[in-house]
Amino acid sequence: AVEVGSYSQLLAAGGAFAALMKEAQAEDAEGLDSGSDTASEPEQAEVPAPTQPAAAAASTSSQPPAAAAGAKLTQHESSATGRVSAAVVWAYLSALGGVPALLLLLAGFVGTELLRVGATVWLSVWTGQDQAAPQAHSSLFYMGVYAAISGAQLLVLQANYLCVAGYGIKAGRVMHEQLLHSLLGAPMSFFHTTPTGRIINRLTKDTSDIDRNLAGNLAFALRAMLQLASTVVLIAVGAPFSLPALLVMMGVLWALYSYFIASMRQAKRLEAVSRSPVLSNVNEAIHGAATIRAFGITDWLIGRNMALVNNNAATTLLNQSLNRWLSVRLEGMGALCTLLAALVTVEQQSGQAATMGLLLTYALQV
């Protein structure tokens, strides 16, 4: 009959399993007794006393090295500190296509921003026409020019997004091939000293971020910088008296960003580091399910997994809290910028209502 149960239950049942374990223990005890009897026999060959240099060499070789005394087979994963190195940035830009690809993307976003500003300025000119005075051009002319500028903007924007997607796929493929080549060419000692969860983390979440987010985030950063530059230029041209205060606000925004990015960068690293133990724990549970059930440590393993997941969730909440912290302050500074542009525009009492509306529209985008 097949006996089913835990180790202690099978021993208490006194069946075939218990008898087999008793026989194994008896054989182990007999082996230990015979080994001790052999070691206690006095028939040993006399070993001549070593000379002084040989004795010193033997005593030195018998001592373990200091580095090996506290060495560990598997080291805990550590996170980097400080800014992202230029070598890492250049590695991604090289996979993206190098300087030509970056210049092409920048030219596309510059063209899109110029067309966007041109469309809004042309709309301001159109709506600023005096309806009582004779018109030099008909409404269809203004509408046609506005439609042409907007259509060109859509075409350039679409082409730019296609370039971003293509370069992002190319960069993801190149970096994945490099990662796979390094992983397959690594020595066996690397797999003995590196937890499986760390390798899985590199091949899943990190690779997914490169494929899906990194190129889009780079494009978003370029587009945001160009929009901010165009907004500052328009406000400076339409309301030049607000430029000093606007520059001060830009300095405050830069200080907030510098303070935020240092914390956010480290929080992202902590999130990545806390994800690897979760994957390692799941992998160990899958491969060691039989041993876990045999020793009855299922509840302990579940508790350990919950603690690791909670630790990773805490870092995710930290990232979200940092984003909210920055967004509240940016929205407040943007509202102050809008108020400043509105006050200066009204105080100058120059220009038309269309120009004032244009300035306020762009001030709201800060």
Side-chain angles (χ1 to χ4, degrees), residues 172-215:
R173 183 184 297 111
V174 170
M175 300 203 74
H176 181 264
E177 290 178 355
Q178 293 176 355
L179 173 62
L180 198 60
H181 182 269
S182 300
L183 188 62
L184 295 178
M188 292 304 299
S189 59
F190 170 80
F191 298 97
H192 290 304
T193 58
T194 305
T196 308
R198 196 178 306 173
I199 300 175
I200 296 176
N201 190 22
R202 298 296 179 269
L203 292 172
T204 54
K205 184 62 171 64
D206 293 348
T207 304
S208 176
D209 288 339
I210 294 175
D211 293 339
R212 301 174 55 185
N213 302 328
L214 203 53

Side-chain angles (χ1 to χ4, degrees), residues 31-50:
L32 292 176
D33 293 340
S34 61
S36 61
D37 294 341
T38 304
S40 60
E41 292 179 0
E43 297 179 359
Q44 298 179 355
E46 295 183 0
V47 179

Side-chain angles (χ1 to χ4, degrees), residues 39-104:
S40 60
E41 292 179 0
E43 297 179 359
Q44 298 179 355
E46 295 183 0
V47 179
T51 59
Q52 185 175 0
S59 61
T60 304
S61 61
S62 63
Q63 295 178 357
K72 295 181 180 179
L73 180 62
T74 302
Q75 300 293 335
H76 292 288
E77 185 176 7
S78 59
S79 61
T81 56
R83 298 182 178 180
V84 180
S85 63
V88 176
V89 176
W90 178 247
Y92 180 73
L93 292 180
S94 300
L96 199 67
V99 177
L102 186 61
L103 292 178
L104 180 61

